[in-house]
Amino acid sequence: MNFLLFLPLLVATAVSADYVSRLPTNARDLFTASMDQLDAAFDAPYGYLYSSSSAYRHNTRSSAYYAVGLLARNHGSDAAHANKVITNIISGQFKDPAQQWFGTYQKYPEEPTVGPGYEPVMYDTWDPNWRGFVGCALIVALEEFGQLLPQETRMLVKESLRNATIGDTYRVGGIDGDNLYPAYSNPSIMRALVSGYTGALLGDANMTQSAETYAKDVIALFDRAGTLSEFNSATYVGVSLWALTLWAKYAPENSVMKKRGPSLLVGTWESVAEMYHPGLKNLAGPWDRGYGFDMRKYLSIVSLHFWTLVGKAQAPLGKNVAMLSHGADFSIGPVIAVLAEFHDSHLNKTLRKRLTDFGKDAERVVEKSAYSPPWDYTGAPRNISAWMNTNMSIGAESFIENVIGGPAENPVQFNPAVIQWWIDAGYKSELGVITLHATESSLTAKVSPGVLELSYPYGNSSSTFQFIVTQMSSVKDVTGWESLPNLDVKVDGNVDLNYTLSFNADGINDFLYWNFTYAMPNSTSNRVPKIRLAVKDMYN
């Protein structure tokens, strides 16, 4: 931690303008590509980035990431623009300690004041997690490029981090509608870092102790099975990796975060490497939280870490990043690039090779476990199984929870059972995906080579198995399982095998899909609903 950042500077020390040229090649490529896109969205007179997903509104979080990129590049008026962006962001921070949203940041500067007429709704009219996203970006700006900011701005940042840290103490899982428990991995890791860093900066023992306690809770959940509670999420594992990098680099020297950050960082990558299919360029299922069904078609933050590690061509990304769904997350690219050399130095060549080479074995079997209290029942972690061959993956998890839709309580994001296969294995350009839409709070799943078996232990005659099949460019009309190209599907179980089939043109996260729904026969109301899919790709 560089406490000199807050001392008056008699001489302005500039970051060398060739800073970016000294980044490792892959990191520099990511930095340049992301900054080119963000430059085009920058409203310089206003001092904010435009949002990539709205009609000329601005965006606070993306602007914070862009400010780090401007400071790193430091060409022409970049530093002056970064200073304006940062001061704008801080001016939009909520500063009334009596409000639950104290210390977080407005989502965009045109946003109405939270209150009558714009009622306070967590994750809607205000987002508590932005204390962590913006706070972590400000820490990177200070630690790496603080000498480029005026003393007044550095003091504003110091005060902003204090407010964000205090505001995060208002968050107690289960109180006032808040869902921040240590098992909510990505904001928990960020919360611990911002609190610990700020506590050390201000000499505030309460902040420091709070951070240590929270970090230990996160670590305890990880140490149970070597997995983050927020498991196998291409977007949020990417955020957690970023935040763990900050643990390892910026946490106080005597902090448990400094000591354990590297091991959690490497351990999380070990889990990613086990679940990742480098041939399909996708994480095998299940996914606790997903913003799409094919990582080559939507922007996932973990893909940006892949980019710095193995290069864009080997990363799970489409060629044209600007065309990817969920593209707003590309704004974090400059920050990941700036930290890439430190982050990547923790990962050995063997692990990196696993991210690009499926290996000599024709098959891989993975058994993992993750635990997210209080959503998972006490003593009942989610048990994950995956099987992969060169052209296919099957992955699923068994769980007993008190909610539908996984720990995020979001059936759209939660994908508890997933099958992926190459539609055209000779060209490897289109991936087929079958995923179970979450409709039950409990599932028993068994995965074996070419087979997915599912049952609802607490299901009944009204239970259904709804399988989403992503739209495929090579097949315009799907009339049944036999329509799926290069995949043989056989279904049995105690369900009514006469399924319903429909196309959903509204889609999920920009992905359109077909829905195969199996219901239970009326005569089996007392039986546990079960279904079995045996699949074979036609290239094996």
Side-chain angles (χ1 to χ4, degrees):
M1 178 178 294
N2 185 359
F3 294 102
L4 295 177
L5 294 173
F6 295 103
L7 296 178
L9 297 182
L10 300 178
V11 178
T13 304
V15 171
S16 174
D18 66 352
Y19 174 90
V20 174
S21 70
R22 297 196 304 270
L23 291 173
T25 300
N26 292 337
R28 185 171 64 251
D29 290 346
L30 170 60
F31 182 92
T32 302
S34 55
M35 285 298 288
D36 284 349
Q37 187 165 312
L38 297 178
D39 285 339
F42 185 45
D43 183 357
Y46 204 81
Y48 269 96
L49 276 184
Y50 285 117
S51 170
S52 64
S53 58
S54 62
Y56 273 85
R57 286 197 304 272
H58 299 89
N59 183 276
T60 297
R61 180 173 59 181
S62 295
S63 297
Y65 301 148
Y66 182 56
V68 174
L70 288 170
L71 292 170
R73 189 171 61 190
N74 193 27
H75 288 172
S77 56
D78 280 348
H81 285 316
N83 180 65
K84 184 174 184 178
V85 170
I86 289 171
T87 55
N88 282 345
I89 289 170
I90 293 172
S91 71
Q93 187 178 28
F94 297 115
K95 297 180 176 66
D96 184 351
Q99 296 173 330
Q100 187 182 1
W101 46 97
F102 171 65
T104 196
Y105 302 82
Q106 63 185 9
K107 293 182 295 179
Y108 57 99
E110 304 91 341
E111 189 174 25
T113 301
V114 178
Y118 191 63
E119 301 299 326
V121 179
M122 190 179 295
Y123 299 117
D124 185 0
T125 57
W126 66 282
D127 193 327
N129 291 345
W130 283 33
R131 296 185 185 106
F133 286 116
V134 176
C136 285
L138 292 177
I139 288 171
V140 176
L142 283 177
E143 285 292 316
E144 302 296 330
F145 314 109
Q147 63 268 43
L148 294 178
L149 297 172
Q151 171 74 358
E152 180 181 359
T153 301
R154 296 197 302 274
M155 297 305 293
L156 285 174
V157 172
K158 179 178 179 180
E159 181 67 16
S160 182
L161 291 172
R162 175 185 176 275
N163 291 340
T165 299
I166 293 172
D168 253 354
T169 66
Y170 294 10
R171 303 193 69 181
V172 179
I175 304 298
D176 294 328
D178 207 310
N179 66 337
L180 184 62
Y181 297 88
Y184 190 2
S185 302
N186 82 87
S188 292
I189 297 169
M190 292 190 292
R191 171 184 179 165
L193 184 280
V194 173
S195 180
Y197 178 92
T198 305
L201 185 67
L202 302 177
D204 189 315
N206 289 331
M207 289 183 180
T208 302
Q209 183 57 49
S210 174
E212 293 296 290
T213 299
Y214 215 80
K216 288 175 182 177
D217 289 341
V218 172
I219 292 167
L221 284 169
F222 180 88
D223 284 347
R224 190 197 62 82
T227 55
L228 294 175
S229 298
E230 197 172 27
F231 182 76
N232 211 35
S233 166
T235 292
Y236 293 112
V237 166
V239 175
S240 293
L241 288 168
W242 173 54
L244 289 170
T245 303
L246 305 189
W247 274 27
K249 190 168 190 184
Y250 301 138
E253 290 298 325
N254 61 348
S255 170
V256 68
M257 291 181 280
K258 176 73 76 174
K259 297 172 185 174
R260 290 300 311 279
S263 62
L264 265 68
L265 178 68
V266 173
T268 300
W269 267 112
E270 288 286 348
S271 180
V272 169
E274 285 186 84
M275 297 299 297
Y276 183 69
H277 193 311
L280 302 181
K281 285 193 172 181
N282 267 268
L283 288 168
W287 311 313
D288 276 358
R289 298 180 69 185
Y291 286 113
F293 303 123
D294 182 349
M295 292 170 65
R296 301 167 312 135
K297 294 182 178 180
Y298 76 97
L299 198 292
S300 69
I301 293 174
V302 78
S303 295
L304 303 184
H305 292 290
F306 271 80
W307 186 333
T308 69
L309 280 168
V310 299
K312 180 176 182 285
Q314 298 272 29
L317 281 164
K319 291 182 180 179
N320 190 345
V321 175
M323 297 305 297
L324 299 178
S325 177
H326 218 254
D329 278 349
F330 199 35
S331 62
I332 201 173
V335 188
I336 289 177
V338 164
L339 295 168
E341 186 170 15
F342 178 82
H343 166 275
D344 297 358
S345 69
H346 291 81
L347 306 175
N348 61 37
K349 292 182 180 179
T350 300
L351 188 144
R352 298 184 195 207
K353 182 176 175 60
R354 291 162 62 193
L355 302 178
T356 61
D357 184 0
F358 189 72
K360 296 180 180 179
D361 296 333
E363 295 183 322
R364 180 193 305 173
V365 176
V366 180
E367 300 289 339
K368 306 292 287 184
S369 174
Y371 186 39
S372 297
W375 300 282
D376 291 328
Y377 276 103
T378 302
R382 303 188 306 286
N383 293 313
I384 295 106
S385 299
W387 167 83
M388 308 173 212
N389 70 9
T390 53
N391 292 320
M392 176 182 288
S393 76
I394 304 175
E397 61 187 321
S398 300
F399 55 87
I400 303 175
E401 298 186 327
N402 53 29
V403 294
I404 293 175
E409 302 181 46
N410 190 327
V412 170
Q413 294 181 3
F414 187 53
N415 293 265
V418 181
I419 299 171
Q420 303 164 308
W421 80 101
W422 277 128
I423 288 175
D424 50 355
Y427 299 96
K428 296 187 175 180
S429 61
E430 186 166 23
L431 190 73
V433 181
I434 303 169
T435 179
L436 177 70
H437 180 65
T439 58
E440 301 274 339
S441 61
S442 300
L443 175 71
T444 300
K446 181 180 179 182
V447 172
S448 55
V451 178
L452 173 64
E453 298 178 69
L454 305 171
S455 64
Y456 297 141
Y458 301 106
N460 54 43
S461 60
S462 66
S463 296
T464 61
F465 293 93
Q466 298 183 31
F467 294 103
I468 290 171
V469 179
T470 53
Q471 186 182 34
M472 298 155 285
S473 61
S474 56
V475 179
K476 182 177 180 179
D477 297 311
V478 172
T479 58
W481 292 113
E482 65 279 2
S483 298
L484 304 190
N486 301 319
L487 188 73
D488 179 68
V489 183
K490 292 182 171 57
V491 181
D492 58 43
N494 61 8
V495 296
D496 183 348
L497 295 179
N498 296 305
Y499 55 84
T500 62
L501 174 61
S502 62
F503 181 72
N504 188 305
D506 294 326
I508 294 176
N509 294 315
D510 298 330
F511 285 74
L512 308 185
Y513 62 90
W514 297 88
N515 185 306
F516 289 71
T517 297
Y518 289 87
M520 294 297 293
N522 292 332
S523 61
T524 60
S525 59
N526 294 323
R527 299 175 64 184
V528 172
K530 296 180 181 180
I531 195 167
R532 180 181 185 272
L533 275 66
V535 295
K536 178 177 174 56
D537 75 275
M538 305 310 289
Y539 291 96
N540 280 317

